[in-house]
Each structure stands twice: as structure tokens, then as C-alpha cells.
Amino acid sequence: MTTPILDIRNLRVSYDANVPHCAVNGVSLQVFPGEVVALVGESGSGKTSIAQAVIGVLQGNGRVDGGAILLNGTDITRWSQKRLDAVRGAVVSLIPQDPTGSLNPVMTIGAQVREILTVHGKARGKAADRRVIELLTKVGLSQPEVRARQYPHELSGGMKQRVLIAIAIALEPALIIADEPTSALDVTVQKRILDLIDELRWEFGTAVLFVTHDLGVAADRSSRLIVLKGGEIQEEGATADILVAPQSAYTQRLLADAPSLSAPARIVRRSRAGETPLVAVENLIKDFALPDGGVQRAVDGVSFGIDPGTTHAIVGESGSGKTTTIRAVAGFERPTSGRILIDGLDARTLKGETLRQFRRKVQLVYQNPLASLDPRQSVFSIIEEPLLNFAPVARDERARRVAAILDRVGLTQATLARRPHALSGGQRQRIAIARALILEPKLVILDEAVSALDVTVQAQILSLLAELQADLGLTYLFVSHDLAVVRQIADSVSVMHEGRQVDHGSVEAVFERPTSAYTRDLIEAIPGRRRQSQGARPNPSETAEGYPA
Amino acid sequence: MLKFVLARIGQAVLVLWAAFTLSFVLLQAMPGDAVLIKFLNPEYGLSPEQIAEIRADYAVDGSLFAQYAASLGNLLTGDFGYSVQAGVPVSAQLAVNLPATLTLASLGFATAVILAALLAFLSSFSAGSRLRDLIQSIPALFISIPVFWLGIMLIQIFSFRLKLVPVIHPGPWESLILPVLTLAVPISAPLAQILIRNLDEIETRSFVSVARAKGASRGRVLFRHVARNAVLPVLTIAGVLFGELLAGAVVTETVFGLSGIGSLTERAVSHQDLAVLQAVVIVSAAIFVAINLIVDLAYPFLDPRLKPRAGA
């Protein structure tokens, strides 16, 4: 039998804190040459700790407590950092999670790719320069000579990830550790990056340890799957087998909670005839002045209506204008032209006191619950605060309403005295929802409200939102990049691309019969679909083709 | 880019004018003036008429606004007026005293930077050991030592006990060693604190992990990746601290009996020699503004993200 490239035996990793925290508890796994093994788990499962331990870059207070890490049959667990330097980059390399934070902001792209060549003495001088250009070309960057002289902030997220891949493959290592390589990227960019990794892997026969929280990505790209929870392996086996017949209860739940396009669409609530929509947006246009005197059109002619008690979703990638659109609907941004009617009020003409009263009707829930909750306030004062801003409500009445809303969002009264940092991500998002609901708004704008959550928590929050909508007759404007989630929760949908609304209609219509090429690409790019339709490998070109509106 | 430079220079000129006006108003608000202090002395036996004449000579009898306009006009032509006490042009006094203080301040600053860098990198290399806690507590100690006390202690230890640095007839460089150290210690403390914190913060960034994953050595990662990013914010603080250095020079020069702007200021304050004080304020403000202007203009070259984009 061949020697595995990576052989982890009973690995234990812990972090020093006031209470020592064990992140990885006796994990054993093997990666064979040319194989892609996916390490799947939710946050806190220990998957990133394993990846970091292998390459010897555990964060400050982390350390390997026991077990062994064998690279090509050699135990490197007790190696000094200095000895590991010879192996890192040459035998095992890393594709990190966050492309923006993973490149040194004050060094040129070329210098950062070049570094891995010179550190290992593989090339110097002109030869190194040539190799840098070769590598940048290899990963599909256009104008590699220009890119080499640019700084990271001049490149898009997808381009930066290509640079990091160029660094990772520079010395043709036997093993690449890909730590959530695409979770910070838009879905169409994600697909192109994953295709690129696949392609380079074919070419060099490199093994990949693929760390991800996304079952869809793991299903598409791996041959073997390892499911982690709480630092222990729950299940391990061929990817196809696990997807078809998961053995452990945890994997079953994970698979059930993952939003999927194949799931039946929800029953669409038809609006009663003659009912006026709660929200009517007509031909919304928003321009931003550029410093050089030019004008950037962020939103270009968006129109949609939302019937009371239904959910409209806006789907788009970063830069598509979806955030500008919802800021205009919420009354934070004055549109350049177009009409926004909410419950009969024109959001454009409001100011002063009427604008303040208007805010009662429209509430927001943001993506990152920790950043949108004041860390110094208790849960009680966070939820109570909106009540203090409007007509006075007696103290015990306020307490009663806060308690009631907390009940509604499924939290216990014991939560009231705690502060946001002492709560889990799901609990925090429930509090953000409670804060939005305490004013009894008509419209709730959910800005990527479930995107940062683990799938099981995401499923819980989505069902909470559906329940609240049914009970309270709420209307949602739901912004997301995740089409599977949209399919699950929305009645109608607008797809935005570069400021324009390229598709609009009921969820079924847009998903089954998309009219624009962009929407088709977006649906095609959703991970988890490749298993059904394995076709020709797509061309990993970095630039998106222009999509007709 | 040119627009940015011109705007920054315009701001600098504005700051200088404000410093001049403010110091003028404050100095005029003091009761009495240098002429009265010097010539009311009964030893001179001058009559009130004679004093009025002298006051007219020194142009201290006009209206406040006329005096302001006159001294602003003089300043623009590079004329700082006369020192009432010494009876010589202020510019002559500055010419004698400024070089000494600038030498002291620059050496003090350079020493402070070296001291701070040494502390920060020692702390960074000793990560995870007990030594680190010790090193990290040094800046707090440095900042709480009074300058005059430190000066006296240094003289006591190095000159009188160890007899390493002579105090009687020292050479031109020997006489600078202890004052420079005295000046450097309190300035190095905030620099070291900020540098240590930045190094620790940058150390956790993912591009550092990527550099380590490339197989770059600890030293290379620290100097090529971490340090270059960590020094950027320190630059601003360094510019501001230079102002503190000038203030520190007053005490240091007094303790060590050195002649310079510090001792000049001390004499001018005790004699209410307004022209000298005004000149000291303007010169210090000019140096301070110039250094911060250089720092601002240097940033875009050190941090490519601040470079105005061409055409984009």
C-alpha cells in the first residue's frame, strides 16, 4: 500500500485560556497522493485547528498536546519551527481563508509570489521574475506583468485568491491545505476558483486537504469526506456514500439543514386581488459622485413590489447594488430618481419627525450580529432601546414587552441580563430580530441575516423567520447571495448584477426559467449541483463575461 | 498628488499663523512688560518721560493691533525684533542657541527610536516566555520617571560614582551623552508601547500565517512582513512626540547647564522678554509643523494604499 502524504494519528490540540480549551480531541486521518479529502464541520469543530497544526502555524496560544503528524512517513510533530521552514511551502502549502487579509498590504504581488521561490532557493534574479509571471499566468490572471507590480488593494477578492493559489502551487508541493478557500468570495467567483484548484490538482497530482463548512462544496470537490464535530470525527468515508446514506445522526442533521435547491419550494402566498402592495419601488436610480468628478451609477432602474405578509428577496454578488437598494428603501439613502412607497409614504420626501415615525415601520437585521449589537449593553437594554425613542411607554410595560418578544424569538428570560459576547451566533441573531420586532414594524429588512451562521443554526433562524411572518403578518425584504436560502424563504425575487435588475418574478419563475444569462450562471455556480451534471471542465478565466441585462 | 502636497503645505502655514497669533495674544495678556521690568529698576534712576521714550523705541506703547501687525510684518521679513534683556537681536540669540538644541533633540530622538525598537523586537522574539512580561513593563516605568530626576540620577551614577563621563570640562560629545539619554528615555516609552502593540496585532493577521506557510524564517517574517506594517502608525506618533522633545529640552538643558533654546526660554520667561518668547514659540512651531508635514508627505510612499489612484 502506498504511503499517505499526510498521516494524522490521534491528534490533540488545545488552546491556553483561563480555562484550557481542547479544540481537537484525538483525530486520525490520512490523505493519499492525488486525493482530495474534505474536512467538514461547523464553527468550533476543530477543522481549522487541524489544518493549522499540520502546517505548524497554530495561533499564539494553541499547541499540540498529543498524537503525531506524519508527512510522507516522517513524523514532524516535534520539529522545530526552523526545521519546519524547509518543508512549509515546498512539501505542504496553504491556501488561506480570507484572500484580502492574507496578502501583505505594503508588498507588491510580484514580491510576495517571488518570496516563496527565494526563501527555498529555487530561483533568483531574472529567473525568479520569469517564474513569477509564469505562475500568475498559470492561475489565470490577465496582464500578469501589470499584476506583479500592483499592490493587493488594487485587486479584487477573486484575483487575490488566485495570487495565493499561485504561491501555494509555486513549488509543486505534494499536499495543499485549502482552509475555506472560497467562503469569502461571491458564488460565481467561488466556482471559478474551485475549478482552478481542481485543474491544477489534475496537472500536478497534488493531494488536497479541503477544509470547509459548506457541504455542497465538499460534495462537488472531494473524493473522501470527514465530518467533524467538537474536535472529534463523526463520520468518515467516500463522499458519494456519505451523501447518499449518512450513518451518524449529526451528519444526517447537517445534510437535512443544508439549504438545497432540490428541496420543494415553499407554498407561495398569493396576494388577494386588489390588495395594494406594502412596498412599491419604481425605477429606482442612485448615482454616487466620484472624486474625479464622474458619476458611478450604483443602482440603475430597479422596480419591484412586495405584497403585505410576503417575502421579496434581492440576490446579487458584491458590488451589484443590493445594499444601496435596501438603504434607499430603509430611508438611509436618498435616491437620485425613482419612487419608493412604503405603506403609502414616499420614503424620498420624508424628513425630520415624519422620517423618524417612518423608521418605526421599517426595521433592519444585519449580517453580523456581534457587530450590530452594542457589546456594553445587556440584552434587555438592547431590546428595550427602540421603545425609548418613541412615545413614552411605562417602565413595567416596557419590561413586559421585552419579555414577550424574547419569548417569541425562542430565548429564555435568563438571557436578559447577559451581554452579546456571552451568547452564541444564533442567539445573537435572535436578539437582533427581537430588537427589530419590538416596535411592531410592518417591513423587516434582512440584510444577509443568516449568511454568517452555521447551517444548523441557519435552518433554525429561517424557520423562526417563517413562523414570525405567519403569526405577525410581517413583510420581509430579504437580501442574500445564497440562492438556496432564497428559494427556501422567498415568494418573489429580484436578481441584481452591476446595478441592474436582470431578473424579476416569482421564485419558481426565476429559478425554473431564468431569463438572463447571469441568473443562469448564478444558479449553475451553486455548489452541490455538480454531482448531478458532470460535464466539461469550464475555462478558469478570471474575468466575467459581460452579461446582457 | 500635487494638489495633496499644496493642500498640506497650506494647512501648515495656517497652523503657523495660528500659533503666532495665539502666542501673541497670550503674551500680551500678561501684566507689565520687559521694558518696565528692566528700566523701572530704581538703580537706573530714569524719569517717567525717559521710560516712555524707551517704550516708544521698543514699539511697546502702540495699540495692541498695531503691535500685532508690526511684529507679524517683521516676522515675515525674518526679523524677530530685539531682546530687551540682552539688548541684541533675537535672531542672533537663536543663531547661537538653536544648533545646540537641535543636535540634542535629534540625537535624543534617534536614541529614543533605537531604544523603542530594541524593546519592541525583544518583546516580539521572547513571545511566550516570562522575559516578555518584564520587557513589556519597561515602557510604563520609563514614562513615569521625571526628566529632572533622571538627569540628576544619571550624573550621580555615571559621573560621580562610576566616573565614566566627566562633568568638569567634558569634550563636545561627552557633554551630550547624559542629556541625550535623559531626553530619550521618556520619549522612547510611548514609541515602544505602540510598536509592541502593533507588532502583536500584525502578528495575528493571516498574511503572517501565509508568509510562515511559505517557509519564511521567523526573522524574515518579523522584519519583512510584520515590522513594515507595524511601524506605519508609529510614524504619526513620532511626529507628535518631537514636540514633546522640545519641551523636554528645556528641563534637560537646565539640569545639565547646557546653553540652548531651553535655557534661553527659561531666562526669557523669568524676565518677560516677549520678543524672545515669541520667537521661541514660532521656531518650535515651525520645526514641529515641518516634521509633521514630512511625515504626512512620506506616508503615501510607505503605504501604497494611501497613494492617490492614477486614473481609476
Side-chain angles (χ1 to χ4, degrees):
Chain A
M1 197 175 153
T2 48
T3 332
I5 296 286
L6 178 67
D7 190 355
I8 297 178
R9 292 178 189 165
N10 205 20
L11 181 71
R12 278 183 291 121
V13 176
S14 70
Y15 290 90
D16 284 336
N18 294 335
V19 185
H21 165 66
C22 175
V24 179
N25 191 9
V27 164
S28 302
L29 64 90
Q30 294 179 323
V31 181
F32 289 92
E35 187 186 33
V36 180
V37 176
L39 207 52
V40 180
E42 299 186 286
S43 41
S45 63
K47 57 188 192 302
T48 294
S49 296
I50 294 175
Q52 288 174 343
V54 170
I55 205 154
V57 294
L58 278 172
Q59 286 299 319
N61 55 355
R63 61 161 196 275
V64 174
D65 287 335
I69 300 169
L70 278 69
L71 206 57
N72 269 333
T74 317
D75 188 350
I76 60 164
T77 326
R78 309 270 171 267
W79 279 20
S80 69
Q81 289 291 336
K82 203 167 170 180
R83 226 173 140 193
L84 281 174
D85 284 343
V87 175
R88 283 196 283 240
V91 183
V92 49
S93 68
L94 174 75
I95 302 175
Q97 176 162 21
D98 157 34
T100 299
S102 296
L103 287 169
N104 187 339
V106 300
M107 272 170 87
T108 60
I109 297 301
Q112 300 191 52
V113 179
R114 205 189 144 96
E115 185 175 32
I116 191 165
L117 304 173
T118 49
V119 157
H120 291 276
K122 296 292 180 189
R124 53 180 61 241
K126 284 262 172 357
D129 290 339
R130 272 198 305 278
R131 182 80 180 119
V132 167
I133 302 298
E134 248 174 66
L135 283 164
L136 293 179
T137 314
K138 175 124 252 164
V139 295
L141 279 167
S142 61
Q143 296 178 283
E145 288 86 2
V146 178
R147 302 282 172 253
R149 286 193 302 273
Q150 282 181 312
Y151 287 93
H153 71 279
E154 296 169 285
L155 272 58
S156 70
M159 288 158 81
K160 279 183 260 202
Q161 195 58 286
R162 280 170 197 272
V163 173
L164 286 158
I165 292 172
I167 294 171
I169 61 161
L171 303 179
E172 299 180 14
L175 173 68
I176 292 177
I177 294 172
D179 184 6
E180 302 263 16
T182 56
S183 54
L185 301 174
D186 281 329
V187 57
T188 52
V189 182
Q190 164 176 331
K191 180 169 185 296
R192 279 182 238 128
I193 294 290
L194 291 174
D195 287 344
L196 172 66
I197 295 176
D198 265 356
E199 204 157 280
L200 296 167
R201 190 176 65 77
W202 279 109
E203 191 175 335
F204 300 125
T206 308
V208 178
L209 181 63
F210 201 107
V211 177
T212 181
H213 71 281
D214 190 329
L215 268 170
V217 170
D220 282 354
R221 310 286 167 169
S222 69
S223 45
R224 273 198 305 129
L225 201 63
I226 296 168
V227 181
L228 274 179
K229 181 183 183 250
E232 287 169 21
I233 291 180
Q234 295 294 312
E235 187 160 359
E236 184 178 1
T239 305
D241 296 347
I242 290 186
L243 291 178
V244 173
Q247 297 302 308
S248 82
Y250 178 70
T251 316
Q252 285 165 7
R253 202 182 53 166
L254 216 53
L255 281 169
D257 286 340
S260 159
L261 282 178
S262 50
R266 60 183 290 179
I267 302 118
V268 179
R269 284 173 298 268
R270 309 255 174 242
S271 56
R272 280 157 286 166
E275 194 171 31
T276 42
L278 181 77
V279 179
V281 175
E282 284 166 33
N283 203 21
L284 178 70
I285 290 174
K286 175 71 191 176
D287 291 337
F288 288 106
L290 294 175
D292 62 7
V295 164
Q296 159 103 45
R297 182 151 289 190
V299 178
D300 189 1
V302 169
S303 307
F304 59 84
I306 315 177
D307 290 328
T310 69
T311 300
H312 182 75
I314 299 180
V315 178
E317 303 190 346
S318 42
S320 63
K322 56 187 200 292
T323 300
T324 311
T325 305
I326 58 161
R327 283 182 62 82
V329 172
F332 291 133
E333 201 91 66
R334 205 146 280 232
T336 308
S337 73
R339 250 157 57 98
I340 300 171
L341 280 176
I342 294 168
D343 202 16
L345 288 170
D346 190 342
R348 276 198 316 145
T349 58
L350 296 177
K351 49 177 164 258
E353 186 54 29
T354 38
L355 180 61
R356 224 167 63 79
Q357 291 302 331
F358 164 80
R359 298 221 192 282
R360 267 195 103 118
K361 297 187 180 178
V362 182
Q363 289 290 308
L364 283 128
V365 177
Y366 290 101
Q367 169 167 16
N368 184 340
L370 188 57
S372 58
L373 300 177
D374 182 346
R376 295 188 185 282
Q377 280 188 319
S378 70
V379 168
F380 178 82
S381 45
I382 287 171
I383 301 177
E384 179 200 28
E385 194 179 358
L387 286 176
L388 302 172
N389 296 334
F390 291 94
V393 180
R395 177 186 294 270
D396 44 348
E397 171 66 10
R398 287 201 304 267
R400 197 191 60 74
R401 286 202 209 169
V402 171
I405 207 81
L406 201 68
D407 226 28
R408 273 242 81 109
V409 299
L411 290 173
T412 59
Q413 301 297 324
T415 326
L416 283 177
R418 299 170 77 179
R419 278 170 218 282
H421 67 85
L423 302 169
S424 71
Q427 285 174 321
R428 286 181 202 134
Q429 203 56 299
R430 283 171 195 267
I431 287 159
I433 292 169
R435 176 176 60 182
L437 293 184
I438 192 123
L439 288 174
E440 297 169 2
K442 298 209 158 153
L443 175 67
V444 179
I445 299 177
L446 301 150
D447 185 3
E448 300 274 9
V450 296
S451 306
L453 304 173
D454 283 328
V455 281
T456 47
V457 181
Q458 187 180 60
Q460 287 160 11
I461 297 289
L462 285 174
S463 70
L464 171 69
L465 287 172
E467 192 187 306
L468 290 169
Q469 183 168 51
D471 293 356
L472 307 173
L474 293 169
T475 306
Y476 292 147
L477 179 54
F478 189 90
V479 176
S480 182
H481 67 280
D482 189 334
L483 283 167
V485 168
V486 165
R487 172 154 192 149
Q488 207 171 316
I489 192 169
D491 301 293
S492 57
V493 61
S494 297
V495 181
M496 290 188 68
H497 180 60
E498 290 173 355
R500 289 190 307 267
Q501 193 176 15
V502 293
D503 250 307
H504 174 226
S506 75
V507 167
E508 294 145 301
V510 171
F511 278 59
E512 306 302 332
R513 299 174 296 281
T515 56
S516 76
Y518 176 72
T519 310
R520 278 195 290 277
D521 268 22
L522 209 57
I523 293 172
E524 186 59 36
I526 297 172
R529 287 175 56 92
R530 276 240 312 216
R531 223 134 257 286
Q532 291 109 37
S533 59
Q534 255 168 359
R537 274 186 290 128
N539 160 38
S541 95
E542 142 222 338
T543 44
E545 292 74 26
Y547 296 104
Chain B
M1 189 65 196
L2 187 70
K3 222 168 122 188
F4 170 71
V5 173
L6 288 179
R8 290 299 295 122
I9 291 177
Q11 276 176 24
V13 171
L14 209 66
V15 167
L16 274 182
W17 171 77
F20 171 79
T21 308
L22 208 65
S23 62
F24 183 87
V25 170
L26 286 175
L27 291 172
Q28 291 297 330
M30 290 202 296
D33 59 50
V35 178
L36 289 179
I37 289 176
K38 182 167 179 180
F39 297 103
L40 268 185
N41 191 331
E43 278 176 30
Y44 287 100
L46 296 171
S47 68
E49 290 78 29
Q50 284 170 308
I51 289 178
E53 207 171 298
I54 296 170
R55 281 171 61 87
D57 270 358
Y58 279 103
V60 291
D61 61 341
S63 76
L64 209 58
F65 188 76
Q67 287 190 45
Y68 173 75
S71 43
L72 184 60
N74 287 341
L75 179 69
L76 290 177
T77 57
D79 177 7
F80 288 108
Y82 275 83
S83 159
V84 175
Q85 197 60 37
V88 295
V90 175
S91 45
Q93 287 186 310
L94 287 179
V96 173
N97 290 302
L98 198 55
T101 302
L102 281 184
T103 314
L104 178 65
S106 320
L107 287 176
F109 190 69
T111 313
V113 168
I114 294 169
L115 216 57
L118 221 62
L119 283 176
F121 287 115
L122 273 178
S123 144
S124 201
F125 269 116
S126 63
S129 76
R130 284 198 184 280
L131 185 63
R132 182 184 170 83
D133 293 341
L134 188 73
I135 293 168
Q136 296 206 332
S137 60
I138 290 177
L141 178 71
F142 275 9
I143 211 163
S144 36
I145 299 175
V147 176
F148 68 88
W149 183 83
L150 178 67
I152 293 167
M153 288 315 285
L154 285 177
I155 293 176
Q156 275 291 335
I157 296 169
F158 289 100
S159 296
F160 295 146
R161 288 281 167 79
L162 303 175
K163 306 207 186 301
L164 286 174
V165 185
V167 268
I168 319 291
H169 304 302
W173 295 108
E174 282 172 332
S175 69
L176 278 175
I177 296 175
L178 294 184
V180 161
L181 265 182
T182 309
L183 210 49
V185 162
I187 299 292
S188 71
L191 285 178
Q193 273 173 333
I194 293 162
L195 201 52
I196 288 173
R197 224 188 36 219
N198 283 344
L199 285 173
D200 287 352
E201 198 262 324
I202 301 285
E203 196 83 52
T204 64
R205 300 278 188 88
S206 43
F207 69 79
V208 174
S209 297
V210 169
R212 307 249 333 258
K214 282 179 188 172
S217 66
R218 177 93 187 87
R220 188 188 170 93
V221 169
L222 186 59
F223 288 103
R224 292 290 293 267
H225 293 278
V226 180
R228 271 203 64 186
N229 283 282
V231 295
L232 291 173
V234 178
L235 217 58
T236 306
I237 307 296
V240 175
L241 281 177
F242 202 83
E244 212 161 291
L245 208 60
L246 292 171
V250 176
V251 179
T252 314
E253 284 174 3
T254 311
V255 169
F256 288 93
L258 296 171
S259 62
I261 295 290
S263 44
L264 181 68
T265 311
E266 191 236 315
R267 277 198 309 277
V269 167
S270 47
H271 294 106
Q272 279 200 27
D273 205 340
L274 295 195
V276 175
L277 287 179
Q278 183 85 62
V280 167
V281 170
I282 289 301
V283 168
S284 318
I287 294 171
F288 186 70
V289 164
I291 284 175
N292 283 288
L293 183 65
I294 292 169
V295 168
D296 276 2
L297 296 182
Y299 256 115
F301 294 97
L302 296 171
D303 189 344
R305 284 166 295 184
L306 297 174
K307 217 169 272 180
R309 261 195 227 189

